[in-house]
Amino acid sequence: MGLPIFESADLWGKVANGSEIEVDADGGLIRIIDAAGSLPIQPIPPFMQELIADGGLMNHIAKARAK
């Protein structure tokens, strides 16, 4: 199982150890809860959102074959 990677050059120095963050993968935003700030990230492409919604690559393939 793979995990999505989110990058933001702006994140450096704005998040302290133990900070709580919330990731909006579809909207392309990282929210820093305790600092009440937000930073842009690259949103997950639609085809990857579909893979995640299907429960992974194997489930996605099985779903496509069932059509």
Side-chain angles (χ1 to χ4, degrees), residues 5-64:
I5 295 173
F6 302 101
E7 296 178 330
S8 174
D10 298 330
L11 196 61
W12 185 255
K14 295 185 179 173
V15 178
N17 250 353
S19 289
E20 186 176 341
I21 64 169
E22 181 179 90
V23 178
D24 177 358
D26 299 337
L29 213 59
I30 292 178
R31 290 184 192 88
I32 307 166
I33 305 301
D34 51 343
S38 297
L39 300 169
I41 58 171
Q42 193 73 342
I44 293 180
F47 78 93
M48 287 190 70
Q49 290 178 21
E50 188 175 339
L51 286 175
I52 293 168
D54 288 345
L57 180 59
M58 298 307 290
N59 288 342
H60 179 72
I61 292 170
K63 182 179 174 183

